[in-house]
């Protein structure tokens, strides 16, 4: 046992936990920790805004499966990161936020940047509504133990974000360096043999069973094999796009507001639904209106989730199981093979699904052949699909780049789709793409974003240059907060407050390509229909940070389902 400062002991512990990168910004409350980081093998990834840092750490965690770590400053620093940390929390992404705080012995006296005006100082309270837990360190002796608890909590059971709040003086106080190892050989909760066979038997007995996947199950082959063995169609939530290949003959696709009519028809008429790792989000469930997507009852629901709070939250459950999704899928596959080794076949099912999906993608591709300029959004998606390598990662934001991709973009089997599901955070895409690229240096990473999302995270551009990250920022530029402008125009007759204009009322947009060049990126102006394909090919080949500014017409994403906000706008209430 040797004596260290609290900062040095923390860095030693983080290194032992396998942390290699910390994202963040500096401040007078965390520079002692930064100094210790600078003398270690951990790389500090500097961001120019705390929300950028949090989203980048989030993207890094999604790409690696390991917890992202973000370092923040007191007061305005940690408050700037709220949106980024909350986005990770709502999407069950493991993230550890470490915030510096005012000196412990000055609490309540309003020292510089203390969050305290009408109540006792407690900046951790800002994060408590959305993190799994927030720790405020009162003694340097508690810092190692709280750090171990923070990493364990962020990564165990349902992953999520946590906060470790450290008064700045504790970083400089003497601390004994010791070992606080994370738990090893942790078992994952699974189904009992009896429950696995009970669920498998129910699936076998159903006439129109359906498997519904949420974002908590990724890269899991047992679930695909279960669907194939029992010949059961599969629908997925927004965040689960890519869990099964988009060309799989049992994949129905997305239900709900942006789901196809065929998918919503199947979800309404399924007699048994096995829902795994999903919370039945409002847009994926058409505001839980039984006329449009899910009908429980008469449909029966079996729900499996690692978080007991999600079981039965939105629909009545016949069988609810608290279990790890991947382990449960493996156990259900084993049980189904025991009960029916030869499997099941449903006449014409796969052919009907393939026909519907083929038509969906073909209709979108047909609209994408338009040479209209500014480009139609589906033309942009078609060019992206044609000119990116199959293993490219699309990191999206909100609008066509999220909803349209989820609905009608045929994601290659080796590709990845990363999007902010729970919070639908504008500005997520540009910053999260940086973290994904750091985690996946050899893959092409595209931030597929709107002009509103790019404007919200301009700090991502110099960060890409500083880190040498060849992210392609593709800006679908309709000179508006397009999705909301469409809604407002449809119900209130104008896009007031949603469309970007100059003082004379003319449509306005920054020249994002020129802005990229000013920051040191390659900038590509798209001024004709064929320019986008050329720019994409060049950006992929050059492997440099790049901005492609694509003028786009403002078209709404087709919405075959329902969202209750439309009733609100129309003044229709029940």
């Amino acid at each position: 046992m040797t004596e260290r400062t609290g900062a040095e002991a923390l860095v030693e512990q983080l290194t032992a936990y396998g942390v290699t990168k910390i994202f963040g910004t500096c401040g007078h409350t965390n520079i002692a920790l930064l100094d210790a980081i600078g003398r270690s093998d951990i790389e500090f990834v500097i961001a120019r805004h705390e929300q950028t840092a949090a989203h980048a750490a989030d993207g890094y965690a999604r790409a690696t499966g390991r917890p992202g770590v973000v370092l923040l400053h007191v007061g305005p620093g940690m408050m700037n990161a709220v949106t980024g940390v909350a986005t990770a929390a709502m999407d069950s992404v493991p993230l550890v936020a470490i915030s510096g705080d005012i000196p412990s012995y000055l609490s309540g006296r309003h020292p510089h940047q203390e969050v305290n005006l009408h109540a006792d100082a407690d900046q951790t309270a800002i994060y408590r509504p959305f993190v799994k837990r927030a720790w405020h360190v009162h003694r340097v002796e508690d810092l190692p133990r709280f750090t171990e608890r923070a990493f364990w909590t962020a990564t165990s059971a349902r992953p999520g974000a946590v906060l470790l709040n450290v008064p700045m003086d504790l970083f400089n106080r003497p601390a004994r360096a010791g070992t606080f190892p994370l738990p090893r050989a942790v078992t994952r909760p699974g189904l009992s043999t009896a429950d696995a066979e009970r669920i498998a038997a129910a699936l076998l007995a159903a006439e129109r069973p359906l498997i519904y996947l949420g974002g908590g199950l990724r890269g899991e082959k047992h679930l695909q094999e279960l669907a194939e063995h029992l010949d059961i169609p599969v629908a997925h939530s927004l965040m689960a796009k890519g869990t099964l290949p988009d060309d799989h003959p049992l994949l129905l696709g997305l239900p709900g507001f942006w789901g196809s009519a065929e998918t919503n028809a199947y979800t309404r008429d399924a007699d048994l639904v096995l829902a795994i790792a999903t919370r039945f989000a409002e847009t994926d469930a058409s505001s839980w209106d039984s006329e449009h997507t899910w009908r429980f009852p008469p449909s029966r629901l079996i729900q499996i989730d690692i978080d007991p709070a999600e079981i039965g939250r939105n629909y009545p459950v016949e069988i609810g199981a608290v279990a790890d999704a991947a382990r449960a899928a493996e156990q259900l596959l084993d049980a189904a093979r025991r009960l029916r080794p030869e499997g099941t076949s449903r006449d014409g099912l796969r052919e009907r699904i393939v026909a519907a999906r083929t038509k969906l993608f073909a209709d979108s591709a047909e609209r994408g052949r338009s040479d209209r300029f500014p480009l139609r959004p589906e033309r942009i998606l078609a060019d992206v699909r044609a000119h990116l390598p199959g293993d490219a990662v699309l990191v999206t934001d909100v609008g066509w780049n999220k909803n349209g991709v989820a609905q009608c973009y045929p994601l290659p089997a080796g590709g990845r789709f990363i999007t902010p599901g729970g919070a639908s955070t504008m500005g997520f895409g540009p910053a999260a793409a940086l973290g994904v690229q750091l985690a996946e240096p050899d893959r092409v990473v595209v931030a597929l974003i709107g002009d509103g999302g790019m404007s919200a995270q301009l700090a991502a551009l110099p960060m890409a240059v500083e880190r040498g990250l060849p992210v392609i920022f593709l800006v679908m530029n309709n000179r508006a907060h397009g999705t909301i402008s469409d809604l407002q125009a449809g119900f209130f007759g104008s896009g007031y407050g949603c469309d970007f204009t100059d003082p004379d009322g003319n449509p306005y947009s920054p020249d994002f390509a020129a802005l990229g060049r000013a920051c040191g990126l390659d900038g590509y102006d798209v001024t004709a229909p064929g320019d986008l394909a050329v720019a994409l090919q060049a950006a992929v080949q050059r492997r440099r940070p790049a901005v492609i500014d694509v003028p786009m017409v403002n078209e709404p994403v087709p919405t075959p389902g329902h969202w209750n906000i439309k009733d609100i706008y129309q003044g229709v209430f029940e």
Side-chain angles (χ1 to χ4, degrees), residues 154-176:
T155 55
S156 62
R158 179 180 180 173
V162 299
L163 174 68
L164 185 66
N165 191 67
V166 188
M168 61 179 292
D169 56 301
L170 302 190
F171 286 135
N172 281 76
R173 293 182 185 272
R176 289 189 174 274

Side-chain angles (χ1 to χ4, degrees), residues 154-511:
T155 55
S156 62
R158 179 180 180 173
V162 299
L163 174 68
L164 185 66
N165 191 67
V166 188
M168 61 179 292
D169 56 301
L170 302 190
F171 286 135
N172 281 76
R173 293 182 185 272
R176 289 189 174 274
T179 58
F180 287 83
L182 290 168
R184 295 181 181 273
V186 177
T187 60
R188 296 175 297 159
L191 302 172
S192 68
T193 301
D195 284 341
E197 292 193 352
R198 181 184 175 196
I199 295 171
L203 292 171
L204 284 165
E207 292 185 8
R208 285 177 57 85
L210 172 67
I211 296 174
Y212 178 50
L213 302 179
L217 188 70
R218 179 163 294 280
E220 174 48 54
K221 296 302 182 185
H222 295 108
L223 193 285
Q224 178 175 326
E225 293 176 18
L226 174 67
E228 292 168 348
H229 186 72
L230 299 182
D231 212 27
I232 298 177
V234 178
H236 63 75
S237 71
L238 172 74
M239 286 187 60
K241 183 179 176 70
T243 303
L244 262 66
D246 262 336
D247 59 358
H248 194 283
L250 287 171
L251 187 65
L252 291 165
L254 190 72
F257 186 54
W258 293 292
S260 69
E262 291 78 11
T263 302
N264 281 327
Y266 203 102
T267 59
R268 287 194 303 270
D269 295 336
D271 60 346
L272 180 69
V273 177
L274 171 62
I276 303 181
T278 176
R279 60 189 179 91
F280 285 98
E282 182 189 7
T283 53
D284 294 333
S286 293
S287 294
W288 308 291
D289 188 324
S290 61
E291 292 299 312
H292 298 277
T293 301
W294 305 102
R295 289 177 176 170
F296 301 112
S299 299
R300 298 151 54 212
L301 175 60
I302 299 172
Q303 190 172 3
I304 300 174
D305 202 286
I306 193 66
D307 185 352
E310 294 299 345
I311 294 176
R313 178 192 293 275
N314 288 308
Y315 292 114
V317 172
E318 181 174 294
I319 301 175
V322 178
D324 176 83
R327 188 174 178 201
E330 182 178 6
Q331 292 172 307
L332 289 175
L333 176 61
D334 290 341
R337 285 173 172 167
R338 286 194 302 271
L339 293 174
R340 187 168 295 176
E342 71 279 10
T344 299
S345 178
R346 303 176 198 278
D347 291 341
L349 172 66
R350 298 188 184 205
E351 291 78 11
R352 292 192 298 273
I353 292 174
V354 169
R357 294 281 282 175
T358 299
K359 184 178 186 304
L360 172 72
F361 292 140
D363 288 350
S364 179
E366 181 61 34
R367 292 188 291 271
R369 280 191 262 278
S370 171
D371 277 338
R372 175 181 172 184
F373 194 84
L375 295 180
R376 299 183 71 178
E378 282 163 301
R379 169 61 186 270
I380 296 173
L381 297 187
D383 282 1
V384 168
R385 179 66 173 80
H387 298 290
L388 291 185
D391 66 345
V393 184
L394 295 183
V395 187
T396 72
D397 214 272
V398 293
W400 255 101
N401 52 84
K402 173 172 74 76
N403 309 321
V405 169
Q407 180 187 86
C408 61
Y409 184 95
L411 187 71
R416 179 96 188 259
F417 171 67
I418 294 177
T419 195
S424 292
T425 306
M426 186 173 67
F428 171 86
L434 300 173
V436 172
Q437 189 73 83
L438 276 168
E440 301 275 10
D442 297 326
R443 294 176 75 171
V444 171
V445 176
V446 177
L448 188 64
I449 48 184
D451 50 315
M454 187 71 258
S455 297
Q457 278 298 327
L458 295 178
L461 299 181
M463 188 172 171
V465 175
E466 290 166 347
R467 310 308 303 184
L469 300 174
V471 172
I472 300 172
F473 299 91
L474 196 158
V475 184
M476 302 171 74
N477 191 345
N478 56 14
R479 301 183 178 188
H481 292 310
T483 299
I484 308 305
S485 179
D486 288 332
L487 283 171
Q488 188 182 27
F491 289 98
F492 299 99
S494 78
Y496 178 77
C498 306
D499 300 331
F500 304 136
T501 60
D502 65 17
D504 296 323
N506 301 309
Y508 165 77
S509 175
D511 185 337

